[in-house]
């Protein structure tokens, strides 16, 4: 009996919300990306980009040469301030690189993002968020946001709550 009432309540609640959204008049039934603004994005937890004499970077270049991604987000890069952005080992022709290394400059964690030079991208600089990159992309007069971030699985609940409060601000 309880499940029947719960099911009925959920149906009424869902129907009410749909009706409310349609009354707003500016809600798109299918708000997915338009066909003329295809954007290909890849995410990869590389667990050290420099490991095994940059073999993962070689794999990244090969994979990208096949799929030609517009944006590639890499997590757990393990890069630090001893790894310069201008090193040829990190270059991918036609792409720019943005990085957010581990805050303690240890060779762990960190994120980096490769994006095509032809994209209209603006970096959103939020210094309170560590190991996080946020980009604003303009596609056909529409602004899209790409977020690449890393949170350690050993992070405490308090640390994660602190991160969420900064992210929401």
């Amino acid at each position: 009996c309880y499940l029947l009432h719960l099911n009925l309540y959920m149906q009424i609640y869902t129907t009410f919300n749909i009706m409310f959204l349609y009354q707003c008049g500016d809600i798109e039934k299918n708000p997915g990306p338009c066909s003329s603004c295809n954007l290909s994005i890849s995410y990869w937890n590389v667990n050290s980009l420099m490991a095994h004499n940059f073999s993962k970077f070689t794999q990244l270049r090969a994979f990208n040469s096949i799929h030609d991604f517009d944006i590639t987000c890499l997590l757990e890069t393990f890069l630090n301030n001893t790894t310069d952005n201008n090193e040829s080992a990190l270059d991918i022709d036609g792409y720019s690189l943005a990085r957010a290394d581990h805050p303690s400059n240890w060779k762990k964690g960190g994120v980096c993002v490769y994006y095509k030079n032809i994209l209209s991208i603006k970096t959103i600089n939020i210094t309170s968020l560590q190991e996080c990159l946020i980009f604003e992309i303009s596609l056909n007069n529409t602004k899209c946001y790409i977020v690449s971030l890393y949170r350690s699985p050993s992070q405490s609940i308090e640390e994660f709550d602190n991160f969420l409060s900064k992210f929401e601000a």
Side-chain angles (χ1 to χ4, degrees), residues 70-115:
D70 296 312
I71 298 171
T72 298
C73 303
L74 303 175
L75 311 175
E76 286 194 289
T77 58
F78 293 18
L79 301 176
N80 64 14
N81 67 1
T82 63
T83 313
D84 187 10
N85 268 0
N86 296 323
E87 286 189 27
S88 61
L90 294 177
D91 284 348
I92 299 179
D93 288 338
Y95 288 83
S96 295
L97 171 64
R99 288 173 33 188
D101 299 340
H102 188 276
S104 299
N105 205 32
W106 296 344
K107 287 191 175 183
K108 68 177 193 176
V111 298
C112 74
V113 174
Y114 286 92
Y115 56 91

Side-chain angles (χ1 to χ4, degrees):
C1 186
Y2 173 75
L3 288 175
L4 181 63
H5 282 71
L6 182 62
N7 188 22
L8 181 61
Y9 171 77
M10 291 305 294
Q11 287 177 351
I12 292 171
Y13 179 77
T14 302
T15 303
F16 174 77
N17 282 334
I18 291 171
M19 288 173 31
F20 179 74
L21 287 173
Y22 280 129
Q23 286 180 343
C24 292
D26 63 348
I27 305 299
E28 178 61 40
K29 291 179 184 178
N30 183 7
C34 62
S35 61
S36 64
C37 55
N38 293 330
L39 186 68
S40 59
I41 302 173
S42 75
Y43 268 81
W44 183 20
N45 186 326
V46 294
N47 194 17
S48 183
L49 191 57
M50 299 181 303
H52 309 292
N53 200 24
F54 282 90
S55 67
K56 291 183 183 178
F57 193 76
T58 303
Q59 292 172 357
L60 170 67
R61 281 184 174 159
F63 192 68
N64 198 52
S65 70
I66 295 168
H67 297 284
D68 193 33
F69 290 110
D70 296 312
I71 298 171
T72 298
C73 303
L74 303 175
L75 311 175
E76 286 194 289
T77 58
F78 293 18
L79 301 176
N80 64 14
N81 67 1
T82 63
T83 313
D84 187 10
N85 268 0
N86 296 323
E87 286 189 27
S88 61
L90 294 177
D91 284 348
I92 299 179
D93 288 338
Y95 288 83
S96 295
L97 171 64
R99 288 173 33 188
D101 299 340
H102 188 276
S104 299
N105 205 32
W106 296 344
K107 287 191 175 183
K108 68 177 193 176
V111 298
C112 74
V113 174
Y114 286 92
Y115 56 91
K116 285 187 176 178
N117 294 333
I118 61 170
L119 292 176
S120 175
I121 287 186
K122 176 180 150 188
T123 303
I124 308 294
N125 190 3
I126 302 176
T127 56
S128 63
L129 295 175
Q130 299 173 337
E131 298 178 278
C132 180
L133 294 170
I134 303 173
F135 298 97
E136 178 184 285
I137 303 172
S138 297
L139 296 170
N140 295 343
N141 297 322
T142 301
K143 290 182 181 179
C144 302
Y145 294 91
I146 305 293
V147 178
S148 180
L149 62 93
Y150 174 73
R151 297 282 65 112
S152 171
S154 63
Q155 192 173 48
S156 70
I157 292 173
E158 293 80 23
E159 289 172 318
F160 186 69
D161 287 342
N162 183 34
F163 165 75
L164 286 180
S165 67
K166 291 177 184 176
F167 192 74
E168 291 172 350

